Amino acid sequence: MESISTLIIGGTAAYRLDLAPWRPVGAPFILRTPYGDSPPITLLQPEDAHPPVAFCSRHGHGALKRSAAFLNHRAIIWGAKMLGAESIFSWNGVGAIDERLQVGDLVVPVDLIDFTRTRVTTFGHPDLRPASGPAFHPDARSAILASLSNPNPVSNPIYVCTEGPRLETEAEIALYHQAGAHIVGMTLSPEAFLAQEAGIRYASLGYVTNYATGRALGRPPRREFGPVVARTCLPILLRAAATLVSAMPLP
Ligand code: HPA
């Protein structure tokens, strides 16, 4: 198989997404990695002019089958490495901690606070150096930002990753707010760190699906976990993938 430069990892609502509009190429396939099986991967080629991009749904197919606390992050990222991916773009639902953010806003985290407790955050592979430096690759992040039409009021959001599967308490969210976090989710650690360790550029697009516990602050407690999340995020990340591939010779 020809080498694939980009993997897009779909989060919220990816499990129910009909991929037909993005022109799947061939049948989905699973990669057997030393860390277990990858999720099914589909190649998409929405534009003839651009090479295919790999896509997988993090949480399963048809329904949310595995929540973030139970994902095999190492199999997904090692799978990307087996494909030859130089970049990974992902999307994920986030809870808004910062009061300027509303349900439906799009955010591109600049940094990550890891409050997970039991996850394996390294491949433990002798040839790979542990992650260091920015949690999100600046070029990959810029490519997502360039693909957004409406910048939101929080331009450099900090994402706090919690262990789950339970939702945070109000006191925990108050602590994360004091610590400087703008958004909360359960996915990006260790995903971002493993990609960094594997030498793959990684950035993520957050879709504000809800207000974090205690942070509705008098607003109607809206929630949006429906198909609009995936239908909004996938085209943005496909544009980001095309931007990054054409802007930069691969290392
Ligand atoms: N907390 C944790 N993870 C999340 C949330 C939240 O409020 N919303 C979406 N993912």
Side-chain angles (χ1 to χ4, degrees):
M1 189 175 64
E2 68 179 298
S3 170
I4 297 292
S5 67
T6 308
L7 172 68
I8 294 178
I9 304 175
T12 303
Y15 23 90
R16 287 201 202 92
L17 185 63
D18 172 14
L19 293 173
W22 293 284
R23 298 176 53 201
V25 182
F29 56 92
I30 288 173
L31 293 171
R32 316 254 175 247
T33 85
Y35 305 95
D37 287 355
S38 76
I41 296 170
T42 306
L43 301 185
L44 304 176
Q45 192 164 22
E47 314 255 354
D48 289 333
H50 294 291
V53 163
F55 170 82
C56 71
S57 164
R58 236 192 233 115
H59 303 286
H61 283 271
L64 196 157
K65 293 197 173 137
R66 274 181 186 224
S67 76
F70 305 108
L71 295 180
N72 185 346
H73 296 274
R74 295 201 294 182
I76 300 176
I77 302 301
W78 200 268
K81 200 169 152 57
M82 287 169 70
L83 287 171
E86 304 282 351
S87 311
I88 297 175
F89 295 102
S90 76
W91 82 75
N92 50 290
V94 294
I97 298 177
D98 189 293
E99 56 271 28
R100 290 169 293 174
L101 292 172
Q102 303 190 35
V103 172
D105 280 349
L106 296 170
V107 283
V108 186
V110 71
D111 208 346
L112 196 166
I113 303 174
D114 185 4
F115 263 98
T116 64
R117 299 187 174 102
T118 65
R119 301 186 190 178
V120 184
T121 59
T122 176
F123 289 107
H125 192 288
D127 297 341
L128 298 178
R129 270 183 293 144
S132 64
F136 301 103
H137 195 283
D139 299 330
R141 193 172 172 262
S142 299
I144 301 181
L145 285 169
S147 305
L148 292 179
S149 34
N150 295 320
N152 76 67
V154 183
S155 51
N156 285 312
I158 295 176
Y159 175 107
V160 59
C161 193
T162 61
E163 177 74 27
R166 69 170 177 82
L167 205 58
E168 304 75 33
T169 66
E170 196 167 328
E172 285 168 335
I173 293 293
L175 172 72
Y176 306 148
H177 183 43
Q178 271 186 26
H182 303 93
I183 47 175
V184 57
M186 298 176 188
T187 319
L188 294 188
S189 174
E191 197 171 272
F193 298 127
L194 291 171
Q196 209 181 9
E197 191 175 292
I200 303 174
R201 298 187 283 254
Y202 181 97
S204 181
L205 174 64
Y207 187 109
V208 177
T209 47
N210 59 287
Y211 300 111
T213 313
R215 299 297 297 167
L217 308 172
R219 295 170 288 188
R222 243 185 91 208
R223 289 164 59 79
E224 181 57 80
F225 287 85
V228 66
V229 178
R231 285 198 213 117
T232 303
C233 294
L234 180 57
I236 293 169
L237 296 184
L238 285 166
R239 282 203 296 278
T243 309
L244 195 57
V245 166
S246 52
M248 190 173 281
L250 293 174

